[in-house]
Amino acid sequence: MTLLVTGSAGHLGEGLMRELRATGRDAVGIDIKPSAFTDHVGSITDRDFVRRRMKGVRAVIHAATLHKPHVATHPHQDFIDTNVSGTLALLEEALAANVEAFVFTSTTSTFGAALTPALGEPAAWIDEHVAPIPKNIYGVTKLSAEQLCELFYRKRRLPVLVLRTSRFFPEPDDSIDVRNGFSTANAQANELLYRRVDIADAVDAHLLAVERAKAIGFGRYIISATTPFTREDLAELRRDPATVLARHFPDAPALYASRGWRMFPQIDRVYVNALAREQLGWQPKYDFARVLAALRSGEEFRSPLAEAVGSKGYHDAVFEDGPYPVAS
């Protein structure tokens, strides 16, 4: 089965292409930027380019996108062109080429305002039943693209699975408070409790989605490391997550102290991956328990794939508090 991977010069796209090549899978990478993992340079908004690249393809993983950091550098029309029109071109050409499976990389950012409860309210329990409330053009266009995917399944029976991925980028956080208050490793270890997925687990979820798409037809799934938290923890997570953490992992405070790490002062949402684990057969390996095991052994808690891909950064991205920092 030939796989077409869009966004092959990006972080997830490169991770996918590395894994596919390492396992001897027939894969073609496309991107607007050349890279060691890009076989053809071109835009998904170029219909002729997409049509040519779709020949002989049996499955598509559509990871190319304009991201949230680009909101500060790109006009709204660019988001519509890439995230909506580009997805439409891929769906239509995939259908014309009799593609058997289409996997769309979406984002938990589509949930938008639903992720932040009112002051004094418990942390939000975010599963697939939560209605998205996008709060920027990135979220709006990714949700619109999801809806196009669902339409192509309902009307044309193209098997499509949507994966709403949580954070997997290696760079320091986009929040200046987090960047100033926590090392990158500390912050990302904390996030594996509730809002982060390792790139290796994200790649695994996408490849499982390719295999399961025909049997499922259409589905949306949250792709995030398995949380240890329960609904009973939500109120306390908002005011004292360190105590909740110690209850679930009694040795965590000492292990954190040995590295000079600390827990965030509050947690406002918890991503729940139960549906992806049940329906895709996905079992993420790089969770918070893995973090603690790595702290005990002195090893790296990220996957070898995360180390190999490294920090790619977001091209020309800035935030309100200045340029986006790229980790070394």
Side-chain angles (χ1 to χ4, degrees):
M1 174 190 288
T2 299
L3 265 165
L4 179 69
V5 176
T6 73
S8 56
H11 190 57
L12 177 59
E14 179 178 323
L16 285 161
M17 291 299 294
R18 281 179 178 268
E19 178 64 18
L20 289 164
R21 288 181 180 179
T23 54
R25 301 277 294 273
D26 189 7
V28 175
I30 64 173
D31 201 289
I32 60 171
K33 293 183 178 291
S35 78
F37 300 92
T38 299
D39 299 294
H40 302 281
V41 176
S43 173
I44 59 172
T45 64
D46 180 341
R47 182 63 69 104
D48 290 337
F49 172 77
V50 171
R51 185 176 299 118
R52 292 194 302 272
R53 300 288 77 83
M54 205 67 70
K55 291 179 180 178
V57 167
R58 295 275 63 83
V60 174
I61 298 179
H62 177 25
T65 191
L66 277 183
H67 291 276
K68 179 183 174 184
H70 296 120
V71 171
T73 59
H74 289 64
H76 285 188
Q77 188 63 54
D78 285 358
F79 281 85
I80 293 169
D81 292 345
T82 299
N83 295 352
V84 181
S85 299
T87 301
L88 177 60
L90 285 161
L91 287 165
E92 290 182 337
E93 296 305 325
L95 191 69
N98 297 312
V99 164
E100 298 172 1
F102 192 105
V103 177
F104 175 62
T105 308
S106 190
T107 171
T108 50
S109 289
T110 57
F111 290 111
L115 298 173
T116 308
L119 188 65
E121 291 296 312
W125 187 255
I126 304 297
D127 60 18
E128 289 78 5
H129 297 293
V130 174
I133 312 174
K135 58 182 182 180
N136 56 40
I137 190 64
Y138 174 55
V140 166
T141 54
K142 294 300 282 187
L143 184 59
S144 296
E146 286 187 17
Q147 292 167 336
L148 280 174
C149 290
E150 185 173 13
L151 182 68
F152 270 72
Y153 171 69
R154 287 194 293 107
K155 296 295 187 180
R156 307 299 297 275
R157 284 299 185 254
L158 175 65
V160 185
L161 299 187
V162 172
L163 304 188
R164 287 175 171 167
T165 58
S166 64
R167 295 179 168 197
F168 54 76
F169 56 80
E171 296 89 359
D173 199 273
D174 55 352
S175 163
I176 192 170
D177 292 334
V178 174
R179 295 201 305 270
N180 289 343
F182 299 84
S183 69
T184 299
N186 184 176
Q188 294 182 359
N190 290 351
E191 289 175 345
L192 281 169
L193 286 161
Y194 70 105
R195 65 174 299 180
R196 173 169 285 274
V197 63
D198 188 274
I199 186 70
D201 286 328
V203 166
D204 187 44
H206 280 75
L207 298 182
L208 285 168
V210 168
E211 300 299 324
R212 295 288 296 145
K214 284 185 71 174
I216 294 171
F218 179 81
R220 287 185 179 89
Y221 302 96
I222 291 173
I223 303 301
S224 194
T226 305
T227 182
F229 300 139
T230 68
R231 288 181 181 272
E232 287 68 36
D233 296 322
L234 295 178
E236 196 172 5
L237 284 173
R238 200 76 195 278
R239 60 178 185 271
D240 187 10
T243 296
V244 181
L245 178 65
R247 186 162 61 243
H248 285 279
F249 300 98
D251 62 342
L255 289 168
Y256 260 44
S258 70
R259 292 285 295 269
W261 287 5
R262 58 195 176 92
M263 181 46 54
F264 294 143
Q266 68 166 323
I267 287 175
D268 61 357
R269 90 286 301 265
V270 174
Y271 293 140
V272 183
N273 68 9
L275 190 64
R277 287 187 287 117
E278 175 188 347
Q279 295 192 3
L280 300 181
W282 181 54
Q283 293 296 330
K285 301 180 181 69
Y286 295 90
D287 57 10
F288 190 76
R290 180 73 172 245
V291 170
L292 297 186
L295 290 179
R296 295 186 196 100
S297 66
E299 297 176 353
E300 169 62 52
F301 67 81
R302 298 191 306 162
S303 68
L305 183 61
E307 290 289 293
V309 174
S311 174
K312 301 192 72 63
Y314 291 103
H315 303 292
D316 306 319
V318 297
F319 285 88
E320 292 181 0
D321 58 348
Y324 194 91
V326 178
S328 60

